[in-house]
Amino acid sequence: MIKVHIFYPNTPDTRFDMAYYVEKHMPMVQARIGAACTGFTVDAGLAGGAPGQPAPYVAVGALICTSVEAFQAGFGPHAAEILGDIPNYTNAQPTLQISEVKVG
């Protein structure tokens, strides 16, 4: 099992519509990827590590998928639609990381 993490940096000018991301974007992504995506999570940044420090990310999404190959096969045909939806909820440039799940 893998997770595809999507990190959205928290800057003073970041716009992020959490309701749209949770209710529309992530379900659409899961539907487009299909059976390879067994679920997703969304975390909203609250704070950094030190008192009073802002969260480094306004949001972190994670797609739970069966394998890298299955994710890529499901994502590829819908990449333009998925990436084209990003301006509907944020002006941030996301960073992706694919990780192997070791525990969880």
Side-chain angles (χ1 to χ4, degrees):
M1 179 171 44
I2 66 155
K3 282 189 182 178
V4 179
H5 288 98
I6 310 102
F7 299 93
Y8 295 91
N10 187 15
T11 66
D13 64 335
T14 296
R15 172 187 61 78
F16 198 91
D17 183 339
M18 187 63 71
Y20 186 95
Y21 189 63
V22 169
E23 297 167 14
K24 295 184 180 174
H25 182 78
M26 289 297 274
M28 180 266 293
V29 172
Q30 182 181 27
R32 297 305 181 271
I33 294 173
C37 183
T38 60
F40 65 87
T41 62
V42 174
D43 298 339
L46 296 178
Q53 184 180 41
Y57 301 101
V58 66
V60 179
L63 301 166
I64 303 158
C65 298
T66 56
S67 70
V68 173
E69 296 78 15
F71 163 73
Q72 290 172 337
F75 181 86
H78 307 286
E81 178 186 9
I82 292 167
L83 298 176
D85 192 46
I86 293 173
N88 290 326
Y89 62 88
T90 191
N91 61 347
Q93 179 65 44
T95 300
L96 270 66
Q97 175 174 303
I98 299 176
S99 304
E100 181 181 12
V101 176
K102 294 293 190 179
V103 177

